Amino acid sequence: MARTVEFDQHNAIEKALDVFWKKGYNGASMRDLTDAMQINSSSLYNTIGDKHQLFTECIKHYTQKRRIFLEQRAAGAASAVKALEQFFNDVAAVVIKDAHGCFAIKTAFEVSPNDHGIQGLLKEDNDFTHTFLCTLIKKAIKDGEMTDANDADMLADYIISTYTGWYELFLLYRNPIQIKKLADFMAKQLLK
C-alpha cells in the first residue's frame, strides 16, 4: 500500500517558484527543485506532477498573488487616480526589490514562445492587469480626475508596455532613483 505524502504544498510551490525565478525554467533541475521544496522526487510526481506541471502551478500561484495584491491596494486607495499613482509606485518598488526581474516577464521570453499553455496563463494575467488598469482609468475619467479625451484601453497598454521596460533598465543599471523617477514621470504625464 502506498504511503500518503504529506507536505505543505503551498510552501513547497513558493520554494519552487523561487528556484524557477532565479534559474529560469531551463536552468532549474529537478534536484534543485526538490532540494528547495524539501521533498523527494516521488512526492513531487505523486502530488503535483512533473517539472512542467510544477512550473505551471508556480505561474498560477505567482499571478494569483499579484491579483490579490493589486485588488487589495486599489480597494484601500482614496480615489482612482490615487490607486493609479500607488500602482506606479508599487511597480517601481517591485522592480527595485526583485533582483531577478519579473517572473512573468522572464517566463514570457524564456518559455511562452514555444509553450502555448504557459503563454495562455501569461495572457490571462496580462488581461487581468489590463482590465484592472482600464477600470481605474475609466473611474478616474468618470470622477473628473482625468480628462475624458483619454482612451482607457490604449493607456492601459501603454502603462503595461512601459513598466515592463523598467525591469530591463534596473537589471542593467541597478539605479533605483532612475526607476522611481520614471514612476513619478508616468504619473505626472498620465494623471494630469
Side-chain angles (χ1 to χ4, degrees), residues 115-135:
D115 187 321
H116 296 294
I118 298 298
Q119 191 177 83
L121 290 173
L122 296 176
K123 281 182 180 177
E124 190 179 298
D125 181 54
N126 191 73
D127 290 346
F128 168 83
T129 305
H130 184 272
T131 301
F132 173 81
L133 290 169
C134 279
T135 300

